[in-house]
Amino acid sequence: MTPFGTVELTVYPYECDSFGHLNQAALLTLLERARWDALARGPGMDLFDRNGVWPAVRKATIEYRAPAFARDVLRVETTVAGRGTTSMTLRHVVRRISDDATVAEAEMVFVCIDRLGRAAPIPDEIARFLGPRPSGSHQPIQVPAGDVELAVDVRGEGVPVLFVHGFPFDRTMWRHQLATLSRVRRIAPDFRGVGDSGVPPADGYSLTRYADDLVAVLDALGVRQAVLCGLSMGGYVIFELLRRHPERVRALILADTRPQADSAEAQRGREALTQVAQREGQDGVIEQLLPRLLAPATQATQPEVAGQVREMARRWSVPGLVGALRVLRDRPDSTETLRGVRVPTLVLVGSEDEIAPPDTAHAMAQLIPDAQYHVVPAAGHIAPLEQPLAASRLLADFLSALPFP
Ligand code: MLT
């Protein structure tokens, strides 16, 4: 549910350029019309004015995806993608009603300012209208999985998509996809030993257990088949699930991952990192890994992403880190497993991924008949978090083209 709801607007001829396309500036105006229209139908257009603040645009990211023409009727869906003390992020998806084509997607950050132009806390009435904070405060459910309970974020209705995080991240690495892929049922667990999930001792981890945990999550939610979407270690666990439970897989999304086992040198690196985990804990581990995780552009322009990666690593328990490092060190080669895949598959990779680089991802995609392969520009090893709009668009396009079951 979104407080803004859905607004339908017609494109006027004067909003189009000489080729007949809705022009870029007019699209922005149209989004603004949609927001005010939603307020007029709900709490009133004077919602901000009567509370003594004004929503000033601080940042707008727009992807123009398909042309729209005069007389097209567009449906604008507006959701609250984030909320801070003084700011809110709205996400717009604009679709043409006649063919359901996505015309544009936009993410707009607003800051509430007072009459002197200073940032002001979001007043209570507006906070109530926006609803509970969408990320961070989303409460996971607890699902029994053998000897532990797993924390699982479950949102929405539609085709079930199981999001499997990497190392050393947690389910919140998918926060943008969980907030915005509103046409599918989003299911994102924390691995055992991580985040809000239970913590077995260090010998309670194996590739088999991780894979069976995912199946326990599907069972608990009554899901027979799901699209499995894994990043890096999430991909390795999905490869094991493919070997053990292929009938549960409807389609695959493999992000920043690779089928090869660790080399002898990489295995020695895992052992060294295990000692760091035991000696220095989570902070020691993430400080070693961080320089290779994010694209230079992410480090330069989105320092908050590095902050989130540190926070995710801090939510790993030490037994969870040690157990996962052993699993990563000993995992088998999955090349033959991937050659046997017969479900629709999307492979995506950050253009600057140093851990599972584009040439490795491309070779992996070629193992799988008809797999789609896409590079996400200006992203490193965590493309869905570093470039959420581009990555989510690839996911949305892939999911919407899936044949009905
Ligand atoms: C991950 O993101 O899960 C890790 O990079 C996996 C690995 O170290 O092989």
Side-chain angles (χ1 to χ4, degrees):
M1 279 301 291
T2 157
F4 283 88
T6 301
V7 172
E8 289 178 9
L9 296 168
T10 305
V11 178
Y12 298 140
Y14 71 79
E15 293 172 314
C16 298
D17 59 23
S18 51
F19 291 99
H21 300 157
L22 172 67
N23 72 49
Q24 297 156 34
L27 177 77
L28 275 174
T29 311
L30 196 129
L31 297 179
E32 184 156 6
R33 260 164 63 196
R35 292 193 295 275
W36 287 117
D37 205 292
L39 288 185
R41 292 170 197 199
M45 272 191 182
D46 62 344
L47 174 70
F48 288 90
D49 210 19
R50 70 177 180 252
N51 280 283
V53 293
W54 195 249
V57 179
R58 193 169 64 189
K59 182 174 164 192
T61 316
I62 305 194
E63 290 213 16
Y64 296 92
R65 310 247 333 255
F69 305 95
R71 290 184 291 279
D72 278 351
V73 182
L74 303 181
R75 180 184 299 121
V76 184
E77 286 172 11
T78 304
T79 47
V80 182
R83 182 147 83 70
T85 310
T86 61
S87 66
M88 64 198 131
T89 303
L90 298 186
R91 182 179 160 80
H92 296 292
V93 180
V94 183
R95 292 194 179 87
R96 188 187 2 253
I97 291 194
S98 58
D99 59 358
D100 206 32
T102 303
V103 170
E105 289 177 78
E107 219 166 75
M108 321 266 306
V109 182
F110 298 84
V111 63
C112 277
I113 55 171
D114 64 15
R115 293 191 201 284
L116 296 175
R118 297 171 304 201
I122 299 174
D124 284 350
E125 189 191 10
I126 299 172
R128 279 199 300 279
F129 168 69
L130 295 173
R133 291 182 187 223
S135 61
S137 64
H138 201 91
Q139 286 304 311
I141 60 167
Q142 293 290 326
V143 167
D147 51 344
V148 285
E149 290 215 326
L150 300 174
V152 188
D153 201 335
V154 185
R155 306 190 201 182
E157 296 300 327
V159 173
V161 183
L162 183 63
F163 291 91
V164 190
H165 65 79
F167 175 92
F169 320 131
D170 66 10
R171 67 182 198 279
T172 65
M173 64 147 283
W174 301 107
R175 56 200 280 257
H176 297 282
Q177 289 69 41
L178 297 178
T180 59
L181 291 174
S182 56
R183 296 186 159 199
V184 296
R185 186 174 190 199
R186 287 94 74 203
I187 305 168
D190 281 334
F191 281 142
R192 52 177 54 221
V194 181
D196 296 306
S197 288
V199 182
D203 61 359
Y205 302 81
S206 67
L207 209 46
T208 305
R209 278 196 164 123
Y210 285 128
D212 288 356
D213 285 352
L214 297 182
V215 170
V217 169
L218 297 181
D219 287 345
L221 297 174
V223 174
R224 199 181 63 78
Q225 265 199 335
V227 180
L228 299 194
C229 171
L231 181 129
S232 200
M233 174 179 168
Y236 312 158
V237 175
I238 288 173
F239 303 155
E240 179 70 5
L241 193 149
L242 278 167
R243 289 185 280 272
R244 294 175 62 75
H245 311 280
E247 72 288 353
R248 309 299 291 258
V249 184
R250 169 144 183 229
L252 283 175
I253 301 171
L254 302 174
D256 298 298
T257 193
R258 55 192 165 161
Q260 293 79 16
D262 270 8
S263 63
E265 189 191 344
Q267 289 185 324
R268 284 193 292 278
R270 304 286 189 199
E271 277 148 29
L273 201 56
T274 301
Q275 287 177 14
V276 172
Q278 285 162 334
R279 224 177 30 238
E280 300 169 33
Q282 301 83 345
D283 286 350
V285 170
I286 194 58
E287 291 316 320
Q288 287 224 352
L289 295 177
L290 202 53
R292 296 186 69 216
L293 289 177
L294 302 176
T298 309
Q299 306 197 29
T301 62
Q302 303 186 82
E304 69 281 6
V305 173
Q308 195 199 331
V309 173
R310 285 197 176 87
E311 273 176 37
M312 291 192 291
R314 286 192 189 120
R315 291 198 281 265
W316 279 65
S317 62
V318 171
L321 284 172
V322 171
L325 280 164
R326 287 187 189 138
V327 169
L328 293 171
R329 180 194 63 191
D330 298 337
R331 73 187 192 281
D333 185 286
S334 293
T335 305
E336 285 312 310
T337 307
L338 290 181
R339 274 194 223 283
V341 168
R342 293 292 177 272
V343 293
T345 300
L346 166 68
V347 172
L348 64 93
V349 62
S351 59
E352 320 291 319
D353 188 340
E354 283 185 35
I355 296 169
D359 53 349
T360 307
H362 186 242
M364 179 175 75
Q366 289 190 319
L367 296 171
I368 305 168
D370 300 324
Q372 294 178 33
Y373 169 72
H374 292 277
V375 177
V376 180
H381 187 55
I382 325 178
L385 188 62
E386 298 179 64
Q387 293 298 338
L389 265 187
S392 300
R393 188 192 64 195
L394 289 170
L395 265 59
D397 286 350
F398 175 75
L399 292 167
S400 64
L402 282 180
F404 288 104

